[in-house]
Amino acid sequence: GEDVEQSLFLSVREGDSSVINCTYTDSSSTYLYWYKQEPGAGLQLLTYIFSNMDMKQDQRLTVLLNKKDKHLSLRIADTQTGDSAIYFCAESEDSSYKLIFGSGTRLLVRP
Amino acid sequence: DAGVIQSPRHEVTEMGQEVTLRCKPISGHNSLFWYRQTMMRGLELLIYFNNNVPIDDSGMPEDRFSAKMPNASFSTLKIQPSEPRDSAVYFCASSFRTGFSEQFFGPGTRLTVL
């Protein structure tokens, strides 16, 4: 079945760049997403990328997709303490309502 | 719009009691999802409604769990009887399906079953 994997934890210093990685197994994935969960809150969509794209940039966020290796990454430039949260990678197929989530990466930003 | 609204935000109950969680999706959204989040199992989809009709309930753990969506603006998830292993954060999410599934999540209900 489909599987999405992420590392559990990342710690960076404020002002540095953060890179959160994700691998997935479903070759039929059409859309790949990054969601952010702050403490005590629900998930919030940060950004997404279509599978026919290699890269997407949105302000401080850069998403890179290597479809051959089924590898997705999220780079946060100039990481701030407010970026401390859990980041979830997710994928879905074109015609499917179902999102397959990874286990989440907890990002800690040190002052 | 106020976003997806869930109530209660926190629920503490004793084993064997009935628990009802409530969700109001974003107005105009036609898809509604219930998720459960635990440390051990991560985020699991329990049930998916489209236009108030349950489409996929394969994630519902067992018969003790039931969900309803009597109209486009309200859904409930009921656990009867509750057990300690049901302790988790339950999220409701809604979406208006276009070409992809941007799901908007509620703040969640933290359930503790003693």
Side-chain angles (χ1 to χ4, degrees):
Chain A
E2 307 99 343
D3 194 21
V4 178
E5 293 194 355
Q6 303 177 237
S7 54
L8 291 180
F9 185 74
L10 177 65
S11 177
V12 300
R13 197 169 296 167
E14 188 175 16
D16 287 351
S17 292
S18 308
V19 180
I20 302 171
N21 294 301
C22 168
T23 57
Y24 60 97
T25 58
D26 187 359
S27 55
S28 302
S29 298
T30 306
Y31 307 100
L32 295 124
Y33 311 81
W34 285 104
Y35 277 82
K36 177 184 181 182
Q37 184 180 27
E38 297 186 2
L43 279 69
Q44 178 186 10
L45 181 66
L46 271 182
T47 186
Y48 64 92
I49 189 169
F50 297 118
S51 61
N52 61 358
M53 298 168 64
D54 298 325
M55 185 183 87
K56 181 178 181 182
Q57 188 149 4
D58 184 2
Q59 299 181 340
R60 291 190 298 122
L61 305 178
T62 303
V63 178
L64 294 177
L65 175 60
N66 181 328
K67 197 173 179 182
K68 174 176 170 290
D69 295 338
K70 299 190 181 69
H71 182 267
L72 183 75
S73 67
L74 173 70
R75 179 178 181 269
I76 306 173
D78 187 25
T79 313
Q80 302 298 305
T81 54
D83 295 324
S84 292
I86 302 175
Y87 291 81
F88 290 88
C89 171
E91 60 93 7
S92 70
E93 295 181 24
D94 187 23
S95 58
S96 174
Y97 56 86
K98 189 175 283 191
L99 289 178
I100 307 299
F101 285 93
S103 55
T105 299
R106 184 179 294 274
L107 174 64
L108 175 66
V109 182
R110 310 185 306 274
Chain B
D1 199 313
V4 176
I5 299 172
Q6 291 188 246
S7 65
R9 293 294 311 276
H10 301 273
E11 176 81 32
V12 180
T13 191
E14 293 188 343
M15 184 173 66
Q17 296 298 304
E18 177 180 296
V19 175
T20 300
L21 311 181
R22 296 173 176 81
C23 174
K24 177 176 165 50
I26 293 173
S27 177
H29 283 189
N30 61 1
S31 295
L32 185 139
F33 307 81
W34 282 101
Y35 289 90
R36 178 171 67 177
Q37 186 179 38
T38 61
M39 289 291 292
M40 291 298 295
R41 300 174 68 92
L43 203 61
E44 303 173 277
L45 176 64
L46 299 178
I47 187 167
Y48 158 61
F49 290 89
N50 184 250
N51 292 323
N52 311 339
V53 176
I55 303 298
D56 181 357
D57 65 355
S58 59
M60 295 286 263
E62 48 199 274
D63 292 346
R64 298 185 297 106
F65 286 68
S66 62
K68 293 182 180 179
M69 192 163 186
N71 56 62
S73 59
F74 184 66
S75 178
T76 59
L77 177 68
K78 186 177 292 187
I79 309 172
Q80 166 63 11
S82 57
E83 297 182 2
R85 60 193 168 118
D86 302 329
S87 297
V89 181
Y90 291 81
F91 289 103
C92 176
S94 70
S95 72
F96 177 71
R97 292 209 63 230
T98 54
F100 68 99
S101 302
E102 179 174 358
Q103 295 183 19
F104 293 82
F105 281 72
T109 297
R110 181 174 293 277
L111 173 65
T112 303
V113 183
L114 303 174

